[in-house]
Amino acid sequence: MGNTGTGKSSFIKLLTGDKSVRVGDSLDSETDDVVKIAFTDPVSGRKVVLVDTPGFDDSRDGRTDTEILRKISEFMINEYDQHRKLNGTIFFHRMSDPRFGGQSRRSLRIFRELCGAATFKNVVVLTTFWDRVNEDEGLAREEELKSNSNFFKDLVEGGARFMRHNRKDSGAREVLDHIFTLVPVNVQIQQEIRVEGKSLEETAAGSVHREEIDRMIAKHKKEMDDLNSEITTVKKGNDALMRELKEERVELRKKITRWEDEKVDLKRGLDNESELRKRLENEILKQREQYEKAQQELQAELEKSKKERNDAVLMEAGRKAREAERAKREAENTLERRMSFKKMGHEIAKGIPLVPTSLAKPVFGTIGRGLDLVDRRRRAK
């Protein structure tokens, strides 16, 4: 980005070797629109897309800064929608300019707000036309550009890098190598329009431009008032002066009309702004629906998991109950198969030496019957 005639197109042509890129030697713009030039870097093998933009001071009739801002913004939004970020943004500035004029300041202000302070670290301020200024003068201008708060001081403090372009392959290569090291980002105007839902006029860049439009309208209206006052003082017979003043008034009216039309154009915003807003609203609605669906699916999973856990608990309880019942039956069977105490008493009586069985058997049998009775009562309880 940068003003007309700062060397944007020639830089791209030098870096890509694309001879179809138009390069102008005058201050007339050679870039009609936002143009993408894709190529494969022969050194790194990386695929690169360079984007040439028209300057905000486009010299052709009918082209306004609002139109330029809209075209650049639409390009940025389209890149955002395609999930493509920018590795770097290069702002071109001619070192041969003796002063940093009003148009240069306006272009820089819009550029600054397009990018946003968070992405200044991805900015390269590329100074050009060093061959048209002596070294001492160039160094002094460069230092002033870096340190003056009216120029690039805030960008430098935010991480922007100053580099020089010597119109040679090596200089262009150095810029590209530096940009290769940068982490891709989304710039501020993309965030404002696509995420925050702002109109072009509501963005930081749009607000800066609207202030400039209002200033120019007020300036020209003041000039018109002064001119009308001067016309009333012209003496009769001075036809030449009267004709000159009236012609000047016509030109002023054209300028005021132009700026007022530009203000309306800025308010109208992007060509597809209503579509973008609708798309944003649809995306928000879609995300909300996806969230609600995810919540419902999660709740269903939790209910399913809870039911499965309950079923598992019931199955385990049933298994343990069956095992207990089986153990009980086995114990009862064992007790039923077990020899009675009475019978055991008779067997003991038989085995006692020196005591007649006829005497011992009744005694031990009686004891056994008593134990059997006690055991039956215990089991019954």
Side-chain angles (χ1 to χ4, degrees), residues 301-326:
E301 286 293 327
L302 290 175
E303 293 293 335
K304 180 180 178 183
S305 177
K306 182 178 179 180
K307 183 178 183 300
E308 290 176 349
R309 285 198 303 270
N310 290 339
D311 291 345
V313 169
L314 291 174
M315 290 178 64
E316 180 66 13
R319 183 185 65 80
K320 289 182 178 180
R322 289 192 295 274
E323 289 182 353
E325 181 67 23
R326 185 168 56 252

Side-chain angles (χ1 to χ4, degrees), residues 2-8 10 24-30 55 57 92-94 96-97 128-129 132:
N3 284 344
T4 299
T6 52
K8 300 187 297 292
S10 59
D25 294 325
S26 68
L27 294 183
D28 290 331
S29 175
E30 290 293 341
D57 60 340
F92 287 72
H93 176 71
R94 283 189 303 265
S96 56
D97 291 346
T128 58
F129 293 94
R132 297 186 184 180

Side-chain angles (χ1 to χ4, degrees), residues 34-38 48-53 71-88 184-187 189-191 194 270 272 276 279:
V34 176
V35 180
K36 297 170 65 174
I37 301 94
V48 181
V49 177
L50 300 179
V51 184
D52 195 5
T53 64
K71 286 182 177 294
I72 293 174
S73 300
E74 286 177 343
F75 164 76
M76 295 289 195
I77 298 305
N78 288 334
E79 292 299 291
Y80 182 92
D81 290 342
Q82 296 298 321
H83 307 290
R84 287 194 290 263
K85 299 183 178 182
L86 299 179
N87 287 70
V185 294
N186 289 320
V187 295
I189 199 166
Q190 294 171 318
Q191 175 78 16
R194 294 301 283 120
L270 304 179
N272 58 347
L276 291 173
R279 190 185 308 172

Side-chain angles (χ1 to χ4, degrees), residues 249-307:
R249 185 168 60 182
V250 170
E251 291 302 316
L252 271 176
R253 283 175 178 166
K254 289 181 180 179
K255 289 180 180 180
I256 292 172
T257 299
R258 174 183 174 274
W259 283 109
E260 288 177 341
D261 288 346
E262 192 163 347
K263 186 173 183 177
V264 173
D265 195 23
L266 177 62
K267 194 170 188 64
R268 180 171 64 86
L270 304 179
D271 289 338
N272 58 347
E273 191 165 291
S274 59
E275 178 185 344
L276 291 173
R277 282 179 177 272
K278 184 176 180 180
R279 190 185 308 172
L280 180 60
E281 291 172 357
N282 289 339
E283 285 185 5
I284 293 173
L285 179 61
K286 182 179 179 182
Q287 290 175 3
R288 184 181 294 121
E289 291 174 348
Q290 289 175 345
Y291 171 78
E292 292 175 354
K293 182 180 178 181
Q295 286 290 97
Q296 292 172 358
E297 291 176 349
L298 177 60
Q299 187 63 32
E301 286 293 327
L302 290 175
E303 293 293 335
K304 180 180 178 183
S305 177
K306 182 178 179 180
K307 183 178 183 300

Side-chain angles (χ1 to χ4, degrees), residues 4-245:
T4 299
T6 52
K8 300 187 297 292
S9 298
S10 59
F11 172 83
I12 291 178
K13 183 175 182 179
L14 184 66
L15 192 60
T16 64
D18 187 349
K19 293 182 173 53
S20 65
V21 178
R22 291 179 295 170
V23 179
D25 294 325
S26 68
L27 294 183
D28 290 331
S29 175
E30 290 293 341
T31 305
D32 295 330
D33 208 337
V34 176
V35 180
K36 297 170 65 174
I37 301 94
F39 72 103
T40 300
D41 176 40
V43 177
S44 65
R46 295 179 64 172
K47 294 181 179 179
V48 181
V49 177
L50 300 179
V51 184
D52 195 5
T53 64
F56 282 105
D57 60 340
D58 196 322
S59 57
R60 286 164 298 175
D61 292 338
R63 179 63 64 91
T64 66
D65 284 357
T66 299
E67 185 178 353
I68 301 299
L69 176 60
R70 184 169 61 246
K71 286 182 177 294
I72 293 174
S73 300
E74 286 177 343
F75 164 76
M76 295 289 195
I77 298 305
N78 288 334
E79 292 299 291
Y80 182 92
D81 290 342
Q82 296 298 321
H83 307 290
R84 287 194 290 263
K85 299 183 178 182
L86 299 179
N87 287 70
T89 312
I90 309 173
F91 187 88
F92 287 72
H93 176 71
R94 283 189 303 265
M95 294 304 295
S96 56
D97 291 346
R99 56 189 295 272
F100 203 83
Q103 182 59 56
S104 296
R105 294 190 187 190
R106 289 193 293 272
S107 298
L108 178 57
R109 286 185 68 196
I110 294 177
F111 172 80
R112 183 188 289 118
E113 300 303 338
L114 276 168
C115 296
T119 65
F120 283 172
K121 59 185 178 297
N122 289 71
V123 171
V124 172
V125 180
L126 190 61
T127 51
T128 58
F129 293 94
W130 280 86
D131 54 341
R132 297 186 184 180
V133 62
N134 67 64
E135 186 174 356
D136 291 340
E137 187 178 2
L139 290 174
R141 289 180 184 175
E142 183 182 48
E143 183 59 32
E144 184 181 13
L145 291 174
K146 291 180 180 179
S147 59
N148 193 317
S149 58
N150 291 323
F151 306 145
F152 297 94
K153 182 181 179 181
D154 57 339
L155 276 87
V156 173
E157 291 176 346
R161 181 170 176 177
F162 258 73
M163 302 184 75
R164 300 176 185 177
H165 181 42
N166 54 10
R167 302 200 200 189
K168 295 181 181 179
D169 292 346
S170 58
R173 177 81 240 170
E174 186 178 353
V175 175
L176 186 61
D177 288 340
H178 169 66
I179 290 179
F180 278 161
T181 68
L182 304 177
V183 178
V185 294
N186 289 320
V187 295
Q188 179 168 278
I189 199 166
Q190 294 171 318
Q191 175 78 16
E192 291 177 310
I193 293 177
R194 294 301 283 120
V195 179
E196 299 173 19
K198 292 182 178 180
S199 66
L200 180 61
E201 185 183 26
E202 293 169 336
T203 65
S207 297
V208 166
H209 186 45
R210 187 184 63 249
E211 290 173 6
E212 177 61 21
I213 292 174
D214 290 339
R215 189 186 70 82
M216 294 301 296
I217 291 175
K219 174 178 177 290
H220 291 321
K221 284 185 175 180
K222 175 65 169 57
E223 292 172 346
M224 178 67 78
D225 291 340
D226 294 341
L227 185 59
N228 287 331
S229 297
E230 185 177 356
I231 289 176
T232 61
T233 63
V234 176
K235 295 180 180 180
K236 292 183 179 181
N238 197 345
D239 297 338
L241 178 58
M242 181 63 73
R243 185 168 52 253
E244 181 181 342
L245 292 176

Side-chain angles (χ1 to χ4, degrees), residues 331-332 334-342 344 367-381:
E332 290 174 348
T334 300
L335 289 172
E336 291 174 359
R337 292 194 300 268
R338 192 179 68 182
M339 185 183 294
S340 68
F341 286 111
K342 178 182 177 181
M344 289 176 63
I367 294 171
R369 280 197 304 273
L371 292 174
D372 284 337
L373 179 61
V374 171
D375 184 53
R376 283 196 296 274
R377 288 178 177 175
R378 180 184 61 79
R379 281 191 292 156
K381 288 182 180 181

